[in-house]
Amino acid sequence: MTTENPLTCKELADLVTEYLEGKLSPADQQRFEEHMDMCPPCRIYVDQINQTITLTGALKEDDIPVHIQDALLDAFRAWKRV
């Protein structure tokens, strides 16, 4: 079943964490999965994010020095502005 309001690639990227954590509504999950069905680059992106989470799953916030946390947060904030 195809939804009337399909996700864009940017919207999918914004929702990927919620999707992987199982926090999307059923309707948004359907839209997300329909987009992945028709968009190989987004499937690859979701797989890469999932692998990153799996590989860093044992890493805790306290394991990362504060100056590294700050640098990462700055980088992500700058990326979101683009």
Side-chain angles (χ1 to χ4, degrees):
M1 173 196 222
T2 303
T3 57
E4 290 181 23
N5 187 18
L7 287 180
T8 65
C9 294
K10 181 178 180 343
E11 289 170 324
L12 181 135
D14 290 343
L15 294 172
V16 70
T17 302
E18 289 86 353
Y19 174 77
L20 292 173
E21 292 176 352
K23 294 182 179 178
L24 291 179
S25 70
D28 283 340
Q29 180 174 337
Q30 180 179 346
R31 291 173 63 218
F32 192 98
E33 291 173 352
E34 286 178 359
H35 181 93
M36 283 200 309
D37 286 345
M38 65 173 205
C39 186
C42 282
R43 272 197 311 273
I44 292 168
Y45 173 72
V46 171
D47 185 51
Q48 289 172 338
I49 296 297
N50 196 30
Q51 287 181 35
T52 300
I53 291 169
T54 299
L55 293 171
T56 61
L59 190 61
K60 296 178 181 52
E61 186 175 346
D62 293 341
D63 295 337
I64 305 169
V66 173
H67 71 280
I68 303 266
Q69 289 179 35
D70 292 341
L72 287 169
L73 289 171
D74 288 343
F76 284 120
R77 285 183 189 113
W79 174 73
K80 290 291 258 183
R81 285 191 293 262
V82 173

